[in-house]
């Protein structure tokens, strides 16, 4: 892909992303006018008790807008950018790893493992404890992926892991059915909303640790573009090019699991992005993973 075209696509997606984020910040049940945005993003003035003249009372409308913008919308927008970009990058990696256009991040059990962990925590009565819920989902993601790896590595190539992942997904779906049967009405409500996926749990405290973790792992996956291009040629060709396939597969699956697992834990299951976005980007950028991965990151963030 020519550098000029790549730069043009990168700038276009970045501009659309800024416009989309701005529109999301201003729209909703409480509409915020665009001209008020700079003032709302400025730190609120604190009253000075030593001042001789009392400061004017704060505008209640601005106080409401600032609370909605800073405490609700901006954290959700930031989480949406992280999750969308991460799922799209992970989807592109999985499609190259398995050489399967239908592959997506949940194929090796990350999503269903997180769902089993979260649903189990809800049925056990921890639906009002977000930290326990997120921890159970993350542990479930890791255990499901580990099971798929241990079962699938006995077969040559990536086909064994692919089939093991399908089996783990089916088994996880059965466990979710059992937990659903055991749940009461209130737990069923919590379970249903978690399985739909949501950005409503976002806050700045969560983002303070989730954002560095996600960005670091996405950077590690972006650095694997040479290996992913080699895998597109076939496993034998990648081996002749000097790539240790067993270690490469383990490294890529581990990175995807560590990337997607915490996101599933805090947002629930969000499908579509990891499967479709890489294909949309390939239509305009081609199959070379050097431009494909960063463009998928921006496109996934934009779509979500």
């Amino acid at each position: 892909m020519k550098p000029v075209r790549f730069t043009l696509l990168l700038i276009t997606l970045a501009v659309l992303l800024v416009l989309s984020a701005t529109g999301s910040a201003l729209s909703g049940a409480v509409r915020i006018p665009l001209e008020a945005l700079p003032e709302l993003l400025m730190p609120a003035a604190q009253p000075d008790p030593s001042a001789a003249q009392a400061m004017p009372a704060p505008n209640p409308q601005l106080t409401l807008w600032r609370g909605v913008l800073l405490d609700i919308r901006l954290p959700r927008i930031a989480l949406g950018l992280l999750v969308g970009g991460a799922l799209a990058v992970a989807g592109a990696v999985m499609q190259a790893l398995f050489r399967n256009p239908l592959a997506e991040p949940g194929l090796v059990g990350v999503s269903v493992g997180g769902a089993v962990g979260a649903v189990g925590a809800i049925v056990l009565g921890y639906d009002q404890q977000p930290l326990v819920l997120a921890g159970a989902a993350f542990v479930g993601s890791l255990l499901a992926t580990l099971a798929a790896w241990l079962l699938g590595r006995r077969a040559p190539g990536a086909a064994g892991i692919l089939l093991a992942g399908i089996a783990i997904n089916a088994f996880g779906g059965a466990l979710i059915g059992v937990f659903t049967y055991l749940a009461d009405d209130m737990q069923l409500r919590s379970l249903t909303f978690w399985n739909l996926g949501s950005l409503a749990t976002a806050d700045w405290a969560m983002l303070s640790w989730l954002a560095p973790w996600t960005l670091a792992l996405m950077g590690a996956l972006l650095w694997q573009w040479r290996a992913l291009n080699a895998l597109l040629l076939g496993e034998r060709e990648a081996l002749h090019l000097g790539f240790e396939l067993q270690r490469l597969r383990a490294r890529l699956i581990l990175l995807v699991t560590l990337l997607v697992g915490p996101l599933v834990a805090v947002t629930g299951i969000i499908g579509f992005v990891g499967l479709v976005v890489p294909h949309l980007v390939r239509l305009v950028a081609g199959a070379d993973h050097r431009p494909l991965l960063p463009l998928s990151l921006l496109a996934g963030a934009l779509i979500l």
Side-chain angles (χ1 to χ4, degrees):
M1 185 179 186
K2 295 182 178 179
V4 175
R5 188 180 180 189
F6 169 69
T7 304
L8 182 61
L9 286 172
L10 203 66
I11 293 174
T12 301
L13 285 173
V15 171
L16 291 175
L17 191 58
V18 171
L19 294 176
S20 175
T22 304
S24 299
L26 300 179
S27 62
V30 177
R31 184 183 174 278
I32 300 175
L34 178 61
E35 57 271 15
L37 191 58
E39 184 178 358
L40 296 176
L41 294 176
M42 295 289 290
Q46 299 296 325
D48 185 3
S50 63
Q53 186 177 3
M55 294 184 64
N59 187 336
Q61 185 77 317
L62 287 179
T63 303
L64 171 65
W65 288 344
R66 183 176 283 111
V68 170
L69 179 66
L70 299 182
D71 297 333
I72 299 177
R73 290 184 185 167
L74 288 185
R76 293 181 183 183
I77 291 170
L79 182 61
L81 298 180
L82 284 175
V83 174
L87 289 178
V89 169
V93 169
M94 297 298 283
Q95 288 163 12
L97 176 61
F98 292 106
R99 299 181 67 197
N100 187 332
L102 296 178
E104 49 94 24
L107 189 63
V108 291
V110 182
S111 298
V112 76
V116 170
V119 169
I122 291 172
V123 173
L124 292 175
Y126 295 103
D127 50 320
Q128 301 302 322
Q129 301 184 31
L131 290 179
V132 176
L133 195 64
F138 182 51
V139 171
S141 297
L142 292 180
L143 291 178
T145 307
L146 178 62
W149 172 257
L150 292 177
L151 290 173
R153 68 175 182 172
R154 301 174 183 272
I161 303 173
L162 180 64
L163 293 174
I166 294 173
I168 292 296
N169 276 286
F171 181 68
L175 287 178
I176 292 173
V178 172
F179 284 129
T180 303
Y181 175 76
L182 296 174
D184 59 30
D185 290 342
M186 289 302 297
Q187 290 171 345
L188 279 174
R189 181 179 175 85
S190 299
L191 186 154
T192 301
F193 279 113
W194 194 90
N195 279 320
L196 287 174
S198 173
L199 303 175
T201 58
D203 57 45
W204 295 119
M206 173 203 298
L207 291 168
S208 66
W209 63 265
L210 186 63
W213 175 272
T214 304
L215 292 173
L217 288 169
M218 279 196 292
L221 284 175
L222 292 177
W223 192 253
Q224 301 296 318
W225 65 269
R226 291 183 179 87
L228 296 172
N229 281 347
L231 286 173
L232 289 181
L233 301 174
E235 294 189 350
R236 181 173 297 179
E237 288 77 5
L239 187 63
H240 288 318
L241 289 172
F243 292 98
E244 170 90 48
L245 293 184
Q246 191 78 357
R247 291 184 179 180
L248 177 60
R249 280 194 292 266
R251 182 168 65 250
L252 292 176
I253 290 175
L254 178 63
L255 288 173
V256 168
T257 303
L258 293 177
L259 175 64
V260 177
L263 301 178
V264 171
V266 299
T267 66
I269 297 177
I270 296 179
F272 178 82
V273 177
L275 175 63
V276 174
V277 170
H279 291 301
L280 295 177
V281 176
R282 286 190 189 95
L283 293 176
V284 294
D288 183 4
H289 285 84
R290 189 173 190 177
L292 175 66
L293 293 177
L295 291 175
S296 295
L297 193 159
L298 291 178
L302 172 64
I303 286 177
L304 186 56

